[in-house]
Amino acid sequence: MPYADVVIVGAGAAGLSLAYRLCAPGARVPLSVLLIDAPPGPLRPPPRTWCFWEPPGGEFDAALTASWQRLRVRAADGAATVTVPAPLRYKMLRSDAFTGLVDQRLDASAGFRRAELTVLAVRDAAGGGGEVVGRDAGGRRTVVTGRYVFDSRPPGRPPAARTTLLQHFTGWFVRTERPVFEPDTADLMDFRTPQPRHGLSFAYVLPLDARSALVEYTEFSRTPLEPAAYARALHHHLDTVLGASPYRVSATEHGVIPMTDGRFPPRAGRSVFRIGTAGGATRPSTGYTFSAVQRQSRSVAAALRAGGEPGTRSPYRARSLAMDAVMLRALDTGRVDGAAFFTGLFRSVPPARLLRFLDGSAPLREEVLVGLRTPVGPMLRTVAELPFRARRSPPAAPRSALPHPPDEE
C-alpha cells in the first residue's frame, strides 16, 4: 500500500500545476508527492490547448506556442473591434509543452513519484487520511494512501443547478497554401456563424503565422452536436467566411466544458479534495479555467508547504459567481442576445479591465463598472426570478462528452 503526504489523481493542468508547486525548492515542510495518471488509452485525455492572459514574463512563457498583444471580436455583420489589453497578452500553451516544462522540476524532486492506475474510487481512509483504489496495467487491485488526496478528474455529472449550459467545440490546426491569417491578432469571438436557439456560437482563430492557425467552432448551448455538424461549421468558416481554401488539417481538438451555476464543492471528504473543473475552477460564464487553476494550486501548495491545512475556498468570489448565474440564465432564456452582449462589452469596456472581469480577478469597482455596460433591464428581470428557481440535477454526460477544456484542465 504505497503512501505519500500528498496524492494527486490526474495529470492534466490541475494535477500537474499542483505537483509543480508542491515540488518547488525551498519548502519549510518537505512533502512526498505521488501523481497518479491514467494508463494510455481512452481515460487519458488527448493533447489539448490552454489559453489565458497575463503580462509577459510568466512562469510558463518558455513553453508557449504563441502569444498575441492584439485581440479582435467580430460582430455578426463582420464589424471588427480590435483591442490591445496592455500590459496583458493572450497566451497559448499546448499540453505537451506544459508537461515537458513541469517534468523538469518533478524529475529533479527527490520526494516525487508517479504511478499509472485505472482509478476506481477516491475516498477517506478508515484509519485517517485518504485512499485511491485502482487497478494497475496487469489488472491487479492497488490501494494508494496519503495524508491528503487531490482529485482532478472531471465530474461525470454536473451538480444540481438552476441553469446548465455546455461550451462545446471542435478545433482544427490548419495550414493554408497562401497567407490568410494576421499573426499578431487573435480572434477571440467571430460571430459570423449561425446562432443556436438557446445560447450562442462563434469561431475562434489563433494564428501561429500567416498560413497556420488553430480555428475552432464553439457553441454555448444545452447539448453537444454530432461530429459532422462541427465539421460543416468549420468548413463554412474557413471556406466561405475567411476564404482560406485550400488548406490542410494537421490536428484536431474537441472538448465539452460545463457552464453552470451549480456548486462544485472543493472538499469531498475529511482528507479528499477536488481541484480543477471538479473543484470549481471553471468560470461559469466563459469556460476559462487555466488561470483559476493556477490560483487554486498556488493557494493549496503554499498552505501545505508551510505545514498548514489545504484551503477549501473557491477560486472565484461569491459575487462573481452570482453575476455568472444571472448571465447564464439571461443567455439561456434568450433575454440577452449572446453575440450582441459580448460584442458590446468589447466595444465599451477598456480591454484590460474586461479581461480581468472575464478571468474572475477584477476588483469590486471594476466588476460594477462592467456590470453597468450590460443590458440592465433583462439582467434585473433575471435577478428577480433566480431566487425562485429550483436547482435540478442535469443528466449525466456521456463518456465521449466529458470535459477536456482548452483553458484548464
Side-chain angles (χ1 to χ4, degrees):
M1 186 177 291
Y3 175 87
D5 293 318
V6 177
V7 178
I8 302 170
V9 179
L16 285 173
S17 297
L18 181 56
Y20 178 80
R21 293 197 162 85
L22 288 171
C23 293
R28 194 172 80 194
V29 179
L31 298 166
S32 58
V33 178
L34 176 61
L35 177 64
I36 298 176
D37 198 5
L43 295 180
R44 181 178 292 188
R48 52 230 185 264
T49 301
W50 302 311
C51 293
F52 56 100
W53 39 74
E54 66 177 5
E59 60 187 328
F60 305 128
D61 274 14
L64 294 179
T65 299
S67 69
W68 302 268
Q69 60 181 358
R70 286 162 44 96
L71 305 178
R72 180 166 54 204
V73 171
R74 287 192 182 274
D77 62 3
T81 300
V82 179
T83 62
V84 180
L88 304 177
R89 292 181 68 95
Y90 194 58
K91 300 181 178 184
M92 174 198 278
L93 182 61
R94 294 283 288 155
S95 59
D96 52 356
F98 176 72
T99 301
L101 186 150
V102 170
D103 282 350
Q104 294 178 25
R105 174 178 292 180
L106 300 184
D107 292 343
S109 174
F112 177 76
R113 291 174 292 158
R114 298 176 185 270
E116 286 189 356
L117 292 176
T118 299
V119 174
L120 305 175
V122 178
R123 62 199 182 199
D124 284 326
E131 66 180 17
V132 179
V133 182
R135 297 195 182 279
D136 64 15
R140 293 178 295 271
R141 185 177 185 273
T142 301
V143 178
V144 176
T145 61
R147 182 154 57 103
Y148 300 110
V149 177
F150 293 89
D151 190 354
S152 71
R153 296 173 302 161
R157 182 190 295 271
R162 293 165 297 196
T163 307
T164 298
L165 295 177
L166 299 175
Q167 180 180 156
H168 48 99
F169 63 89
T170 291
W172 291 347
F173 283 89
V174 300
R175 177 76 176 172
T176 61
E177 292 188 0
R178 57 184 177 79
V180 172
F181 307 109
E182 299 176 42
D184 66 342
T185 304
D187 284 293
L188 285 187
M189 292 178 165
D190 186 336
F191 290 108
R192 292 176 292 177
T193 55
Q195 296 300 307
R197 181 177 178 184
H198 297 278
L200 74 156
S201 72
F202 56 90
Y204 178 56
V205 181
L206 302 182
L208 307 180
D209 57 47
R211 295 172 52 206
S212 301
L214 169 61
V215 181
E216 287 187 357
Y217 174 77
T218 300
E219 273 195 17
F220 297 178
S221 59
R222 295 177 180 177
T223 57
L225 306 177
E226 293 297 322
Y230 298 104
R232 286 193 299 270
L234 284 165
H235 279 304
H236 176 266
H237 197 75
L238 283 159
D239 298 341
T240 304
V241 178
L242 299 182
S245 297
Y247 51 85
R248 177 176 57 88
V249 179
S250 60
T252 65
E253 291 189 346
H254 177 72
V256 181
I257 305 170
M259 303 179 70
T260 171
D261 66 353
R263 301 184 181 96
F264 290 84
R267 193 160 204 154
R270 296 186 311 273
S271 302
V272 177
F273 300 82
R274 297 187 180 97
I275 55 175
T277 293
T282 296
R283 182 77 196 262
S285 61
T286 64
Y288 280 103
T289 311
F290 191 83
S291 293
V293 161
Q294 303 315 310
R295 295 196 296 268
Q296 190 178 63
S297 62
R298 277 193 293 266
S299 174
V300 170
L304 291 175
R305 284 161 55 88
E309 299 283 319
T312 59
R313 291 188 306 171
S314 167
Y316 298 104
R317 303 180 186 95
R319 65 173 184 266
S320 299
L321 296 176
M323 295 175 75
D324 286 349
V326 174
M327 185 268 179
L328 286 174
R329 176 65 181 161
L331 190 64
D332 187 45
T333 59
R335 291 186 192 128
V336 167
D337 179 293
F341 176 83
F342 282 105
T343 300
L345 286 180
F346 275 91
R347 285 176 176 169
S348 61
V349 178
R353 176 185 299 168
L354 180 57
L355 294 188
R356 286 190 293 269
F357 174 82
L358 296 177
D359 188 48
S361 60
L364 175 59
R365 176 180 176 276
E366 291 190 349
E367 287 190 334
V368 171
L369 290 173
V370 173
L372 292 174
R373 298 292 184 177
T374 64
V376 176
M379 292 300 189
L380 289 178
R381 179 182 172 189
T382 305
V383 168
E385 76 169 13
L386 273 179
F388 302 100
R389 287 191 57 81
R391 294 182 181 269
R392 303 183 186 278
S393 296
R399 173 61 59 180
S400 61
L402 290 179
H404 298 308
D407 314 302
E408 80 136 45
E409 119 95 60

